[in-house]
Amino acid sequence: MAFTSCSHYEEGYFTVYRRMAEENPGVILHLGDYVYEYGATAGRTRLHLGSETVSLADYRRRYAQYKTDPDLQAAHAAAPWIVVPDDHEVENNYAGTIRENNTPALTAAQWAARRSAAYQAYYENMPLRPAQVNSGNSIQLYRRLRWGSLATFHMLDTRQYRKDQACGDGWKVCSDADLASRSLPGNAQESWLLDGLGQQLGTWDIIGQQVFFARRFNSTGASMDSWDGYRASRARIQQGWVDRSVRNPVVLTGDVHRAWASDLKADYNNANSATIGTELVTSSVTSSGDGDGSTTVPDCRDCEVVRGPRGPPWPAGGVK
């Protein structure tokens, strides 16, 4: 299996996709930001066609341009894909029906039309089943797929049903992030996920989703756009899989443009708390260019930056 995210056409070439094809995987997961909505920016490696995507024609043109890339074509030809979007398939950092900001300025009706256009273009251009067809301003994207008895993929939608980011978004210390009423996937999807995890249909339960799941904070606080901005929601899900005795939960994540391996803790306030799962975070295809070989996050507990092309070896026997 290969997984990736964040393929910004203007910020580099898609050689990652070529390498994925060469690895001959059985399946490829794309965890969001397959396209980016921004208009053309002078001086970039390659240029988007047209201005920021707003209409259905805009989104269709953007997918068409990305799909002209021969490396992306090779990856699609090499293996079946399992996909979920993040924010840039619509607009950066949107939350449910709430925009990041009003640029470009849109009325409520225009914003609803933009979301509908984005969802329709996503369905038209991605390998999705008829059950995922968009219905106006919504699209059914969270779903479960079985890989024989080896693994069950629980694919989440972390944009369409979430509460707005706490305390105005950004990196900060925010007590509202602990409110029980705040859910990132929405209450219905939380229940759906835990019901599926409780079935234990495969050796591995793999949760494919978009934003950083483990605790990650620095001197300015934590990202309100990640699960740290929805801490009660994360706690309910983690406690739910513990209560159901899920053997090998693995969270796969995109979004942050760097590769991480994180222990998922029963209590993130206790460094000696039991490890109850693992999160693996993929680096980007191109977003932020080549990025950095490593990064320092002060006071980041229970997180480890993966260094080198493959990182540390997988622990014998998997997660217990």
Side-chain angles (χ1 to χ4, degrees):
M1 182 199 71
F3 69 110
T4 192
S5 71
C6 302
S7 38
H8 194 315
Y9 185 86
E10 291 199 328
E11 293 195 356
Y13 295 103
F14 288 169
T15 50
V16 168
Y17 288 138
R18 174 66 60 177
R19 180 56 186 270
M20 289 167 68
E22 292 170 352
E23 292 282 349
N24 194 31
V27 64
I28 291 172
L29 274 64
H30 199 289
L31 301 179
D33 298 343
Y34 182 91
V35 298
Y36 278 68
E37 80 279 21
Y38 303 127
T41 303
R44 291 289 178 86
T45 303
R46 306 186 286 185
L47 294 182
H48 281 148
L49 296 174
S51 57
E52 182 162 331
T53 53
V54 175
S55 69
L56 180 57
D58 294 336
Y59 285 105
R60 284 171 168 168
R61 180 174 59 239
R62 188 58 49 84
Y63 282 97
Q65 182 180 17
Y66 276 52
K67 286 174 178 288
T68 63
D69 185 275
D71 293 334
L72 176 56
Q73 293 173 10
H76 274 294
W81 282 43
I82 303 173
V83 299
V84 283
D86 193 13
D87 51 344
H88 288 290
E89 286 89 350
V90 181
E91 178 187 80
N92 182 56
N93 276 23
Y94 85 99
T97 60
I98 300 171
R99 300 186 66 190
E100 177 191 31
N101 54 52
N102 200 31
T103 305
L106 299 176
T107 65
Q110 289 172 328
W111 165 235
R114 179 180 181 176
R115 273 198 0 155
S116 181
Y119 294 155
Q120 181 172 338
Y122 188 79
Y123 179 79
E124 290 175 352
N125 284 277
M126 302 303 282
L128 294 167
R129 295 172 175 175
Q132 275 65 64
V133 66
N134 64 296
S135 176
N137 200 29
S138 65
I139 183 170
Q140 177 61 49
L141 290 170
Y142 65 86
R143 61 204 186 281
R144 218 173 333 267
L145 299 96
R146 294 186 61 188
W147 197 258
S149 61
L150 178 62
T152 303
F153 293 101
H154 310 267
M155 306 303 293
L156 301 190
D157 178 348
T158 61
R159 287 290 164 188
Q160 200 174 174
Y161 312 105
R162 67 159 69 193
K163 296 284 188 180
D164 193 14
Q165 291 91 346
C167 298
D169 205 355
W171 279 76
K172 58 190 63 174
V173 176
C174 174
S175 60
D176 285 355
D178 289 310
L179 293 175
S181 60
R182 295 183 47 74
S183 176
L184 192 148
N187 294 330
Q189 192 176 179
E190 282 187 22
S191 296
W192 168 88
L193 173 60
L194 292 176
D195 287 345
L197 290 171
Q199 295 174 32
Q200 300 186 28
L201 298 173
T203 301
W204 298 90
D205 279 291
I206 298 175
I207 301 171
Q209 58 96 50
Q210 296 84 341
V211 294
F212 210 95
F213 190 85
R215 184 183 189 184
R216 183 174 67 127
F217 67 96
N218 61 25
S219 58
T220 65
S223 170
M224 295 298 100
D225 190 54
S226 72
W227 287 85
D228 277 321
Y230 304 81
R231 291 190 283 265
S233 182
R234 177 176 60 196
R236 287 193 295 268
I237 290 171
Q238 289 194 168
Q239 187 60 49
W241 79 50
V242 170
D243 292 343
R244 289 160 177 79
S245 301
V246 179
R247 294 172 298 170
N248 286 308
V250 178
V251 178
L252 301 183
T253 301
D255 185 59
V256 298
H257 308 172
R258 283 175 171 81
W260 294 71
S262 303
D263 288 335
L264 302 178
K265 295 292 189 177
D267 180 2
Y268 290 104
N269 292 312
N270 178 3
N272 297 317
S273 179
T275 296
I276 59 172
T278 294
E279 179 181 24
L280 302 176
V281 184
T282 178
S283 58
S284 61
V285 174
T286 57
S287 299
S288 302
D290 287 336
D292 301 318
S294 64
T295 188
T296 299
V297 182
D299 303 321
C300 181
R301 297 177 185 173
D302 312 315
C303 302
E304 179 183 354
V305 178
V306 176
R307 294 178 173 84
R310 296 184 183 276
W314 191 266
V319 180
K320 297 180 179 179

Short mmCIF file of all heavy atoms in Angstrom, two decimals, residues 171-232:
data_model
loop_
_atom_site.label_atom_id
_atom_site.label_comp_id
_atom_site.label_asym_id
_atom_site.label_seq_id
_atom_site.Cartn_x
_atom_site.Cartn_y
_atom_site.Cartn_z
N TRP A 171 -2.84 28.55 15.14
CA TRP A 171 -2.13 27.90 16.24
C TRP A 171 -2.28 28.74 17.49
O TRP A 171 -1.93 29.91 17.51
CB TRP A 171 -0.64 27.77 15.89
CG TRP A 171 -0.33 26.60 15.01
CD1 TRP A 171 -0.58 26.50 13.66
CD2 TRP A 171 0.26 25.37 15.41
NE1 TRP A 171 -0.16 25.28 13.20
CE2 TRP A 171 0.37 24.56 14.25
CE3 TRP A 171 0.74 24.87 16.62
CZ2 TRP A 171 0.92 23.28 14.28
CZ3 TRP A 171 1.28 23.60 16.66
CH2 TRP A 171 1.37 22.81 15.49
N LYS A 172 -2.82 28.14 18.56
CA LYS A 172 -3.05 28.91 19.78
C LYS A 172 -3.43 27.97 20.92
O LYS A 172 -3.71 26.78 20.72
CB LYS A 172 -4.15 29.94 19.57
CG LYS A 172 -5.49 29.35 19.13
CD LYS A 172 -6.45 30.45 18.69
CE LYS A 172 -5.95 31.20 17.50
NZ LYS A 172 -6.92 32.16 16.96
N VAL A 173 -3.45 28.53 22.12
CA VAL A 173 -4.01 27.85 23.29
C VAL A 173 -5.47 28.22 23.35
O VAL A 173 -5.83 29.42 23.34
CB VAL A 173 -3.28 28.27 24.58
CG1 VAL A 173 -3.93 27.63 25.79
CG2 VAL A 173 -1.80 27.91 24.50
N CYS A 174 -6.35 27.23 23.40
CA CYS A 174 -7.80 27.51 23.31
C CYS A 174 -8.56 26.48 24.12
O CYS A 174 -8.59 25.30 23.77
CB CYS A 174 -8.23 27.47 21.83
SG CYS A 174 -10.01 27.64 21.58
N SER A 175 -9.21 26.91 25.19
CA SER A 175 -9.97 25.99 26.04
C SER A 175 -11.22 25.47 25.34
O SER A 175 -11.71 24.38 25.66
CB SER A 175 -10.35 26.67 27.36
OG SER A 175 -11.15 27.82 27.11
N ASP A 176 -11.74 26.22 24.36
CA ASP A 176 -12.94 25.76 23.65
C ASP A 176 -12.68 24.46 22.89
O ASP A 176 -13.63 23.74 22.56
CB ASP A 176 -13.41 26.83 22.66
CG ASP A 176 -14.10 28.00 23.35
OD1 ASP A 176 -14.28 27.94 24.59
OD2 ASP A 176 -14.44 28.98 22.67
N ALA A 177 -11.43 24.16 22.60
CA ALA A 177 -11.10 22.92 21.89
C ALA A 177 -11.48 21.69 22.70
O ALA A 177 -11.56 20.59 22.15
CB ALA A 177 -9.62 22.89 21.54
N ASP A 178 -11.72 21.84 24.01
CA ASP A 178 -12.09 20.72 24.87
C ASP A 178 -13.59 20.51 24.98
O ASP A 178 -14.04 19.55 25.62
CB ASP A 178 -11.52 20.93 26.28
CG ASP A 178 -10.01 20.76 26.33
OD1 ASP A 178 -9.52 19.73 25.82
OD2 ASP A 178 -9.34 21.65 26.86
N LEU A 179 -14.38 21.38 24.37
CA LEU A 179 -15.83 21.28 24.52
C LEU A 179 -16.35 19.98 23.92
O LEU A 179 -16.02 19.61 22.80
CB LEU A 179 -16.52 22.46 23.84
CG LEU A 179 -16.28 23.83 24.48
CD1 LEU A 179 -16.92 24.93 23.64
CD2 LEU A 179 -16.83 23.86 25.91
N ALA A 180 -17.20 19.27 24.69
CA ALA A 180 -17.75 17.99 24.24
C ALA A 180 -18.62 18.14 23.00
O ALA A 180 -18.78 17.19 22.22
CB ALA A 180 -18.55 17.34 25.36
N SER A 181 -19.18 19.32 22.80
CA SER A 181 -20.07 19.56 21.66
C SER A 181 -19.32 19.70 20.34
O SER A 181 -19.93 19.67 19.27
CB SER A 181 -20.89 20.83 21.89
OG SER A 181 -20.04 21.96 22.05
N ARG A 182 -18.00 19.82 20.42
CA ARG A 182 -17.21 20.03 19.20
C ARG A 182 -16.78 18.69 18.61
O ARG A 182 -16.05 17.93 19.24
CB ARG A 182 -15.97 20.89 19.50
CG ARG A 182 -16.31 22.31 19.93
CD ARG A 182 -15.05 23.13 20.14
NE ARG A 182 -14.12 22.98 19.03
CZ ARG A 182 -14.28 23.53 17.82
NH1 ARG A 182 -15.35 24.28 17.57
NH2 ARG A 182 -13.40 23.34 16.86
N SER A 183 -17.25 18.39 17.42
CA SER A 183 -16.86 17.17 16.73
C SER A 183 -16.20 17.52 15.40
O SER A 183 -16.68 18.41 14.70
CB SER A 183 -18.06 16.26 16.50
OG SER A 183 -17.69 15.12 15.75
N LEU A 184 -15.13 16.83 15.07
CA LEU A 184 -14.49 17.05 13.78
C LEU A 184 -15.20 16.27 12.67
O LEU A 184 -15.53 16.85 11.64
CB LEU A 184 -13.00 16.69 13.86
CG LEU A 184 -12.16 17.16 12.66
CD1 LEU A 184 -10.74 17.49 13.09
CD2 LEU A 184 -12.12 16.10 11.57
N PRO A 185 -15.47 14.98 12.84
CA PRO A 185 -16.20 14.27 11.78
C PRO A 185 -17.72 14.37 11.89
O PRO A 185 -18.42 13.89 11.00
CB PRO A 185 -15.75 12.81 11.98
CG PRO A 185 -15.49 12.71 13.44
CD PRO A 185 -14.99 14.06 13.89
N GLY A 186 -18.22 14.97 12.95
CA GLY A 186 -19.67 14.99 13.19
C GLY A 186 -20.09 13.77 13.99
O GLY A 186 -19.47 12.70 13.90
N ASN A 187 -21.14 13.90 14.79
CA ASN A 187 -21.55 12.83 15.69
C ASN A 187 -21.95 11.56 14.95
O ASN A 187 -21.64 10.45 15.38
CB ASN A 187 -22.70 13.30 16.58
CG ASN A 187 -22.27 14.40 17.54
OD1 ASN A 187 -21.11 14.46 17.95
ND2 ASN A 187 -23.19 15.29 17.89
N ALA A 188 -22.65 11.70 13.82
CA ALA A 188 -23.09 10.52 13.07
C ALA A 188 -21.89 9.74 12.55
O ALA A 188 -21.87 8.50 12.60
CB ALA A 188 -24.00 10.93 11.92
N GLN A 189 -20.87 10.44 12.05
CA GLN A 189 -19.70 9.75 11.51
C GLN A 189 -18.87 9.14 12.64
O GLN A 189 -18.28 8.07 12.46
CB GLN A 189 -18.86 10.71 10.68
CG GLN A 189 -17.79 10.02 9.87
CD GLN A 189 -17.01 10.96 8.96
OE1 GLN A 189 -16.10 10.52 8.26
NE2 GLN A 189 -17.32 12.23 8.95
N GLU A 190 -18.80 9.78 13.80
CA GLU A 190 -18.13 9.17 14.94
C GLU A 190 -18.76 7.82 15.26
O GLU A 190 -18.05 6.82 15.45
CB GLU A 190 -18.23 10.09 16.17
CG GLU A 190 -17.28 11.27 16.19
CD GLU A 190 -17.33 12.01 17.52
OE1 GLU A 190 -17.75 11.39 18.53
OE2 GLU A 190 -16.92 13.19 17.56
N SER A 191 -20.08 7.77 15.33
CA SER A 191 -20.77 6.52 15.65
C SER A 191 -20.54 5.48 14.57
O SER A 191 -20.30 4.30 14.87
CB SER A 191 -22.27 6.78 15.81
OG SER A 191 -22.52 7.64 16.90
N TRP A 192 -20.58 5.90 13.31
CA TRP A 192 -20.34 4.99 12.19
C TRP A 192 -18.95 4.38 12.29
O TRP A 192 -18.76 3.18 12.09
CB TRP A 192 -20.52 5.76 10.88
CG TRP A 192 -20.03 5.03 9.67
CD1 TRP A 192 -20.72 4.15 8.89
CD2 TRP A 192 -18.71 5.11 9.10
NE1 TRP A 192 -19.91 3.67 7.88
CE2 TRP A 192 -18.69 4.25 7.98
CE3 TRP A 192 -17.56 5.83 9.42
CZ2 TRP A 192 -17.55 4.08 7.18
CZ3 TRP A 192 -16.42 5.68 8.64
CH2 TRP A 192 -16.43 4.81 7.53
N LEU A 193 -17.96 5.21 12.60
CA LEU A 193 -16.58 4.72 12.70
C LEU A 193 -16.45 3.69 13.81
O LEU A 193 -15.87 2.61 13.61
CB LEU A 193 -15.62 5.89 12.94
CG LEU A 193 -14.16 5.51 13.22
CD1 LEU A 193 -13.56 4.74 12.05
CD2 LEU A 193 -13.34 6.76 13.53
N LEU A 194 -16.99 3.99 14.98
CA LEU A 194 -16.85 3.07 16.11
C LEU A 194 -17.62 1.77 15.87
O LEU A 194 -17.17 0.69 16.26
CB LEU A 194 -17.30 3.75 17.39
CG LEU A 194 -16.40 4.89 17.86
CD1 LEU A 194 -16.98 5.57 19.09
CD2 LEU A 194 -14.99 4.39 18.16
N ASP A 195 -18.77 1.87 15.21
CA ASP A 195 -19.50 0.64 14.87
C ASP A 195 -18.65 -0.25 13.96
O ASP A 195 -18.59 -1.48 14.15
CB ASP A 195 -20.81 0.99 14.17
CG ASP A 195 -21.85 1.56 15.11
OD1 ASP A 195 -21.68 1.43 16.34
OD2 ASP A 195 -22.83 2.16 14.62
N GLY A 196 -17.99 0.36 12.98
CA GLY A 196 -17.16 -0.42 12.08
C GLY A 196 -15.93 -0.99 12.75
O GLY A 196 -15.55 -2.14 12.50
N LEU A 197 -15.29 -0.20 13.61
CA LEU A 197 -14.12 -0.71 14.32
C LEU A 197 -14.48 -1.89 15.21
O LEU A 197 -13.71 -2.84 15.37
CB LEU A 197 -13.50 0.41 15.16
CG LEU A 197 -12.81 1.54 14.39
CD1 LEU A 197 -12.43 2.68 15.34
CD2 LEU A 197 -11.57 1.04 13.66
N GLY A 198 -15.68 -1.83 15.79
CA GLY A 198 -16.11 -2.91 16.66
C GLY A 198 -16.33 -4.23 15.95
O GLY A 198 -16.32 -5.29 16.58
N GLN A 199 -16.49 -4.21 14.63
CA GLN A 199 -16.72 -5.45 13.88
C GLN A 199 -15.44 -6.28 13.74
O GLN A 199 -15.51 -7.49 13.56
CB GLN A 199 -17.28 -5.12 12.50
CG GLN A 199 -18.65 -4.47 12.53
CD GLN A 199 -19.10 -4.02 11.15
OE1 GLN A 199 -18.77 -4.62 10.13
NE2 GLN A 199 -19.87 -2.93 11.09
N GLN A 200 -14.28 -5.62 13.77
CA GLN A 200 -12.98 -6.30 13.71
C GLN A 200 -12.95 -7.33 12.57
O GLN A 200 -12.72 -8.52 12.77
CB GLN A 200 -12.65 -6.95 15.05
CG GLN A 200 -12.58 -5.94 16.18
CD GLN A 200 -12.10 -6.52 17.50
OE1 GLN A 200 -11.35 -7.48 17.53
NE2 GLN A 200 -12.54 -5.92 18.58
N LEU A 201 -13.16 -6.84 11.37
CA LEU A 201 -13.27 -7.71 10.19
C LEU A 201 -11.92 -8.08 9.58
O LEU A 201 -11.84 -9.01 8.79
CB LEU A 201 -14.14 -7.03 9.13
CG LEU A 201 -15.59 -6.74 9.56
CD1 LEU A 201 -16.29 -5.92 8.50
CD2 LEU A 201 -16.33 -8.05 9.81
N GLY A 202 -10.88 -7.34 9.92
CA GLY A 202 -9.57 -7.62 9.36
C GLY A 202 -8.49 -7.60 10.42
O GLY A 202 -8.72 -7.15 11.56
N THR A 203 -7.30 -8.08 10.06
CA THR A 203 -6.17 -8.05 10.99
C THR A 203 -5.85 -6.62 11.40
O THR A 203 -5.51 -6.35 12.56
CB THR A 203 -4.94 -8.71 10.35
OG1 THR A 203 -5.27 -10.06 10.00
CG2 THR A 203 -3.76 -8.70 11.30
N TRP A 204 -5.95 -5.71 10.43
CA TRP A 204 -5.65 -4.29 10.68
C TRP A 204 -6.90 -3.46 10.45
O TRP A 204 -7.63 -3.67 9.48
CB TRP A 204 -4.54 -3.80 9.75
CG TRP A 204 -3.24 -4.50 9.95
CD1 TRP A 204 -2.80 -5.64 9.32
CD2 TRP A 204 -2.20 -4.13 10.86
NE1 TRP A 204 -1.55 -5.99 9.78
CE2 TRP A 204 -1.16 -5.08 10.72
CE3 TRP A 204 -2.05 -3.08 11.76
CZ2 TRP A 204 0.01 -5.01 11.46
CZ3 TRP A 204 -0.87 -3.01 12.50
CH2 TRP A 204 0.13 -3.97 12.35
N ASP A 205 -7.12 -2.50 11.33
CA ASP A 205 -8.14 -1.48 11.11
C ASP A 205 -7.42 -0.18 10.78
O ASP A 205 -6.72 0.40 11.63
CB ASP A 205 -9.02 -1.30 12.36
CG ASP A 205 -10.10 -2.36 12.44
OD1 ASP A 205 -11.02 -2.30 11.60
OD2 ASP A 205 -10.02 -3.23 13.32
N ILE A 206 -7.54 0.24 9.53
CA ILE A 206 -6.81 1.40 9.04
C ILE A 206 -7.79 2.55 8.84
O ILE A 206 -8.78 2.43 8.09
CB ILE A 206 -6.08 1.07 7.73
CG1 ILE A 206 -5.06 -0.03 7.99
CG2 ILE A 206 -5.42 2.31 7.15
CD1 ILE A 206 -4.35 -0.53 6.76
N ILE A 207 -7.53 3.66 9.51
CA ILE A 207 -8.38 4.86 9.41
C ILE A 207 -7.68 5.84 8.49
O ILE A 207 -6.64 6.40 8.84
CB ILE A 207 -8.62 5.47 10.80
CG1 ILE A 207 -9.30 4.45 11.73
CG2 ILE A 207 -9.47 6.74 10.69
CD1 ILE A 207 -9.37 4.90 13.17
N GLY A 208 -8.23 6.01 7.30
CA GLY A 208 -7.67 6.96 6.35
C GLY A 208 -8.35 8.30 6.50
O GLY A 208 -9.57 8.41 6.33
N GLN A 209 -7.58 9.34 6.83
CA GLN A 209 -8.18 10.64 7.10
C GLN A 209 -7.17 11.75 6.81
O GLN A 209 -6.07 11.48 6.35
CB GLN A 209 -8.75 10.69 8.51
CG GLN A 209 -7.76 10.44 9.63
CD GLN A 209 -7.22 11.73 10.19
OE1 GLN A 209 -7.97 12.64 10.53
NE2 GLN A 209 -5.89 11.84 10.29
N GLN A 210 -7.52 12.99 7.13
CA GLN A 210 -6.82 14.10 6.51
C GLN A 210 -5.90 14.90 7.42
O GLN A 210 -4.86 15.37 6.96
CB GLN A 210 -7.86 15.06 5.89
CG GLN A 210 -8.68 14.45 4.76
CD GLN A 210 -9.88 13.64 5.24
OE1 GLN A 210 -9.97 13.21 6.38
NE2 GLN A 210 -10.82 13.44 4.34
N VAL A 211 -6.26 15.14 8.65
CA VAL A 211 -5.52 16.12 9.46
C VAL A 211 -4.90 15.45 10.68
O VAL A 211 -5.37 14.42 11.16
CB VAL A 211 -6.42 17.30 9.89
CG1 VAL A 211 -6.83 18.11 8.68
CG2 VAL A 211 -7.65 16.82 10.66
N PHE A 212 -3.82 16.06 11.21
CA PHE A 212 -3.00 15.47 12.28
C PHE A 212 -3.88 15.00 13.44
O PHE A 212 -4.67 15.76 13.99
CB PHE A 212 -1.99 16.51 12.77
CG PHE A 212 -0.71 15.91 13.28
CD1 PHE A 212 0.39 15.79 12.44
CD2 PHE A 212 -0.59 15.47 14.58
CE1 PHE A 212 1.59 15.24 12.90
CE2 PHE A 212 0.59 14.92 15.05
CZ PHE A 212 1.69 14.81 14.21
N PHE A 213 -3.71 13.74 13.82
CA PHE A 213 -4.59 13.12 14.82
C PHE A 213 -3.98 13.15 16.22
O PHE A 213 -4.67 13.46 17.19
CB PHE A 213 -4.87 11.67 14.41
CG PHE A 213 -5.93 10.99 15.22
CD1 PHE A 213 -7.27 11.13 14.90
CD2 PHE A 213 -5.60 10.20 16.32
CE1 PHE A 213 -8.26 10.51 15.64
CE2 PHE A 213 -6.58 9.57 17.07
CZ PHE A 213 -7.92 9.73 16.74
N ALA A 214 -2.70 12.81 16.35
CA ALA A 214 -2.07 12.79 17.67
C ALA A 214 -1.93 14.20 18.23
O ALA A 214 -2.09 15.19 17.53
CB ALA A 214 -0.68 12.14 17.57
N ARG A 215 -1.62 14.27 19.52
CA ARG A 215 -1.37 15.58 20.12
C ARG A 215 -0.09 16.18 19.56
O ARG A 215 0.95 15.51 19.51
CB ARG A 215 -1.25 15.44 21.63
CG ARG A 215 -1.09 16.77 22.35
CD ARG A 215 -0.90 16.56 23.84
NE ARG A 215 -0.96 17.81 24.56
CZ ARG A 215 -0.75 17.92 25.88
NH1 ARG A 215 -0.49 16.85 26.58
NH2 ARG A 215 -0.82 19.08 26.47
N ARG A 216 -0.15 17.44 19.14
CA ARG A 216 1.04 18.13 18.63
C ARG A 216 0.91 19.60 18.99
O ARG A 216 -0.01 20.28 18.57
CB ARG A 216 1.12 17.98 17.11
CG ARG A 216 2.35 18.61 16.49
CD ARG A 216 2.46 18.31 15.00
NE ARG A 216 1.41 18.93 14.23
CZ ARG A 216 1.61 19.70 13.15
NH1 ARG A 216 2.85 19.94 12.73
NH2 ARG A 216 0.61 20.20 12.49
N PHE A 217 1.83 20.09 19.81
CA PHE A 217 1.74 21.48 20.22
C PHE A 217 3.14 22.05 20.38
O PHE A 217 4.13 21.32 20.49
CB PHE A 217 0.95 21.63 21.52
CG PHE A 217 1.62 21.03 22.73
CD1 PHE A 217 2.39 21.81 23.58
CD2 PHE A 217 1.48 19.68 23.02
CE1 PHE A 217 3.00 21.25 24.69
CE2 PHE A 217 2.09 19.11 24.13
CZ PHE A 217 2.86 19.91 24.98
N ASN A 218 3.22 23.37 20.36
CA ASN A 218 4.49 24.05 20.57
C ASN A 218 4.25 25.25 21.47
O ASN A 218 3.20 25.36 22.12
CB ASN A 218 5.15 24.43 19.23
CG ASN A 218 4.29 25.38 18.41
OD1 ASN A 218 3.47 26.12 18.94
ND2 ASN A 218 4.49 25.36 17.10
N SER A 219 5.19 26.17 21.49
CA SER A 219 5.10 27.29 22.42
C SER A 219 3.92 28.21 22.15
O SER A 219 3.51 28.97 23.02
CB SER A 219 6.40 28.10 22.38
OG SER A 219 6.65 28.56 21.06
N THR A 220 3.34 28.15 20.94
CA THR A 220 2.18 28.99 20.61
C THR A 220 0.86 28.28 20.84
O THR A 220 -0.20 28.89 20.74
CB THR A 220 2.26 29.47 19.15
OG1 THR A 220 2.14 28.35 18.27
CG2 THR A 220 3.56 30.20 18.88
N GLY A 221 0.90 26.98 21.10
CA GLY A 221 -0.32 26.22 21.30
C GLY A 221 -0.40 25.07 20.32
O GLY A 221 0.59 24.40 20.04
N ALA A 222 -1.60 24.83 19.77
CA ALA A 222 -1.84 23.73 18.84
C ALA A 222 -2.65 24.22 17.66
O ALA A 222 -3.27 25.29 17.71
CB ALA A 222 -2.56 22.59 19.56
N SER A 223 -2.67 23.45 16.61
CA SER A 223 -3.44 23.81 15.42
C SER A 223 -4.92 23.54 15.64
O SER A 223 -5.33 22.40 15.88
CB SER A 223 -2.95 23.01 14.22
OG SER A 223 -3.83 23.18 13.12
N MET A 224 -5.72 24.57 15.53
CA MET A 224 -7.16 24.43 15.70
C MET A 224 -7.82 23.76 14.50
O MET A 224 -8.99 23.39 14.55
CB MET A 224 -7.80 25.79 15.96
CG MET A 224 -7.37 26.45 17.28
SD MET A 224 -7.84 25.51 18.76
CE MET A 224 -6.27 24.68 19.15
N ASP A 225 -7.08 23.60 13.41
CA ASP A 225 -7.62 22.92 12.23
C ASP A 225 -7.42 21.42 12.30
O ASP A 225 -7.97 20.68 11.50
CB ASP A 225 -6.94 23.48 10.97
CG ASP A 225 -7.62 23.01 9.68
OD1 ASP A 225 -8.84 23.20 9.56
OD2 ASP A 225 -6.92 22.45 8.81
N SER A 226 -6.61 20.94 13.27
CA SER A 226 -6.35 19.51 13.42
C SER A 226 -7.23 18.94 14.53
O SER A 226 -8.08 19.63 15.10
CB SER A 226 -4.88 19.30 13.75
OG SER A 226 -4.60 19.73 15.08
N TRP A 227 -7.00 17.67 14.88
CA TRP A 227 -7.78 17.05 15.96
C TRP A 227 -7.50 17.70 17.30
O TRP A 227 -8.29 17.57 18.23
CB TRP A 227 -7.49 15.55 16.02
CG TRP A 227 -8.12 14.78 14.89
CD1 TRP A 227 -7.60 14.60 13.63
CD2 TRP A 227 -9.38 14.10 14.89
NE1 TRP A 227 -8.45 13.85 12.86
CE2 TRP A 227 -9.54 13.52 13.61
CE3 TRP A 227 -10.37 13.91 15.85
CZ2 TRP A 227 -10.67 12.77 13.26
CZ3 TRP A 227 -11.49 13.16 15.52
CH2 TRP A 227 -11.65 12.60 14.24
N ASP A 228 -6.38 18.43 17.44
CA ASP A 228 -6.13 19.18 18.67
C ASP A 228 -7.16 20.28 18.88
O ASP A 228 -7.30 20.79 20.00
CB ASP A 228 -4.73 19.79 18.64
CG ASP A 228 -3.65 18.80 19.06
OD1 ASP A 228 -3.89 18.03 19.99
OD2 ASP A 228 -2.57 18.79 18.43
N GLY A 229 -7.84 20.68 17.84
CA GLY A 229 -8.92 21.65 17.98
C GLY A 229 -10.26 21.02 18.30
O GLY A 229 -11.26 21.72 18.47
N TYR A 230 -10.28 19.68 18.40
CA TYR A 230 -11.51 18.91 18.65
C TYR A 230 -11.16 17.77 19.61
O TYR A 230 -11.37 16.60 19.32
CB TYR A 230 -12.06 18.36 17.33
CG TYR A 230 -12.32 19.42 16.28
CD1 TYR A 230 -11.28 19.93 15.50
CD2 TYR A 230 -13.60 19.93 16.07
CE1 TYR A 230 -11.51 20.89 14.54
CE2 TYR A 230 -13.84 20.89 15.10
CZ TYR A 230 -12.79 21.37 14.35
OH TYR A 230 -13.02 22.34 13.39
N ARG A 231 -10.61 18.13 20.76
CA ARG A 231 -9.99 17.12 21.62
C ARG A 231 -11.00 16.15 22.21
O ARG A 231 -10.69 14.96 22.39
CB ARG A 231 -9.19 17.83 22.72
CG ARG A 231 -7.95 18.55 22.18
CD ARG A 231 -7.03 19.05 23.27
NE ARG A 231 -7.51 20.25 23.93
CZ ARG A 231 -7.14 21.49 23.60
NH1 ARG A 231 -6.31 21.70 22.60
NH2 ARG A 231 -7.60 22.54 24.28
N ALA A 232 -12.20 16.59 22.53
CA ALA A 232 -13.20 15.67 23.07
C ALA A 232 -13.62 14.66 22.01
O ALA A 232 -13.86 13.49 22.31
CB ALA A 232 -14.41 16.46 23.57
#
